[in-house]
Amino acid sequence: DIVMTQSPDSLAVSLGERATINCKSSESLLYSSNNLNYLAWYQRKPGQPPKVLFYWASTRESGVPDRFSASGSGTDFTLTISSLQAEDVAVYYCQHYYSTPPTFGQGTTVEIK
Amino acid sequence: QVHLQESGPGLVKPSETLSLTCTVSGGSINNYYWSWIRQPPGKGLEWMGYIFDSGTTNYNPALNSRVTISVDTSKNQFSLSLSSVTAADTAVYYCARSANSPYCIGANCNPWFNCFDPWGQGILVTVSS
């Protein structure tokens, strides 16, 4: 199985400041035939199921605010919130869909400092 | 807009079979991947398996062949069966949809699943006597 490792496990950021979450996969998620990275990012707010933010590593889901951005390729990926808002408090997960079984990172909790 | 809703018993006895159903509303069940994902208390998310379209299944080997996923297209529902449950199977169980994003090698294209979107609200199932 591909192991997904996120860092940090949690972070506290002041309102309006930048939050950065890293995700590392144990194998490359880049499929050479189509040059796509098979990675998604999710946000889970308390009492809600995960909601997809990005897929193909950097394609923003419709309706996701543009303060969220995602980048990376191969084995190293990053989710950035450029200016943290109160409603962004959540747990964020990365997940690969390069092979089966798809696996998730352990999650990163984002809080307000 | 597609909506998924899990249903089933919230309490299952050890050694019995856990059975859940996911009802899909607002969209067709055809040409999508339909998965079950769970999260035990204090632990991470675990994909259990999917059923594609109306037949092809793929299960997480970690579940040791205890899982079966089936679909009833006439009711727009798909179901999870997990046999021989123990306390370790206590978890919130989610159903989720994935789009079909085929990959192609030359002129040969094969179906493949994309990210999970949307998810059901989740249902807590406790395994206890």
Side-chain angles (χ1 to χ4, degrees):
Chain A
D1 298 2
I2 295 175
V3 177
M4 307 297 293
T5 304
Q6 292 180 228
S7 61
D9 288 337
S10 65
L11 73 162
V13 176
S14 299
L15 288 172
E17 296 300 306
R18 178 185 299 263
T20 300
I21 301 168
N22 299 301
C23 173
K24 190 173 184 66
S25 58
S26 61
E27 300 175 27
S28 176
L29 305 182
L30 177 63
Y31 186 51
S32 56
S33 293
N34 57 19
N35 204 36
L36 290 173
N37 286 281
Y38 284 58
L39 180 109
W41 286 99
Y42 300 86
Q43 175 193 62
R44 186 163 76 179
K45 296 183 178 180
Q48 297 183 20
K51 168 192 159 187
V52 67
L53 298 176
F54 294 89
Y55 52 97
W56 301 130
S58 60
T59 300
R60 184 183 288 109
E61 176 76 343
S62 175
V64 173
D66 60 9
R67 64 179 179 273
F68 290 88
S69 63
S71 62
S73 184
T75 61
D76 293 281
F77 302 89
T78 301
L79 175 70
T80 301
I81 310 171
S82 61
S83 176
L84 190 74
Q85 304 300 304
E87 61 265 33
D88 301 335
V89 168
V91 180
Y92 294 84
Y93 297 91
C94 60
Q95 173 244 326
H96 86 84
Y97 47 102
Y98 184 86
S99 60
T100 57
T103 55
F104 295 83
Q106 79 276 20
T108 296
T109 301
V110 174
E111 301 170 320
I112 305 294
K113 185 186 291 183
Chain B
Q1 187 171 354
V2 173
H3 180 75
L4 281 63
Q5 181 66 58
E6 304 90 347
S7 59
L11 181 64
V12 181
K13 290 183 168 55
S15 80
E16 294 189 345
T17 296
L18 179 159
S19 296
L20 297 174
T21 296
C22 182
T23 300
V24 179
S25 58
S28 172
I29 212 161
N30 295 321
N31 201 32
Y32 286 96
Y33 291 81
W34 302 95
S35 287
W36 288 95
I37 299 159
R38 68 179 182 178
Q39 186 167 32
K43 296 192 176 182
L45 291 159
E46 178 184 41
W47 173 80
M48 302 179 70
Y50 67 59
I51 187 164
F52 172 56
D53 211 358
S54 56
T56 304
T57 55
N58 192 314
Y59 303 127
N60 193 328
L63 293 167
N64 296 324
S65 303
R66 296 191 295 132
V67 63
T68 302
I69 298 174
S70 59
V71 67
D72 185 338
T73 54
S74 67
K75 295 182 179 179
N76 242 33
Q77 294 177 334
F78 64 105
S79 300
L80 169 72
S81 177
L82 182 67
S83 63
S84 305
V85 298
T86 69
D89 295 309
T90 294
V92 176
Y93 287 77
Y94 297 96
C95 56
R97 185 185 77 169
S98 299
N100 178 19
S101 298
Y103 67 94
C104 300
I105 301 174
N108 186 27
C109 293
N110 296 290
W112 197 252
F113 62 103
N114 205 312
C115 61
F116 302 113
D117 175 46
W119 298 53
Q121 191 64 28
I123 183 170
L124 173 62
V125 180
T126 301
V127 178
S128 175
S129 55

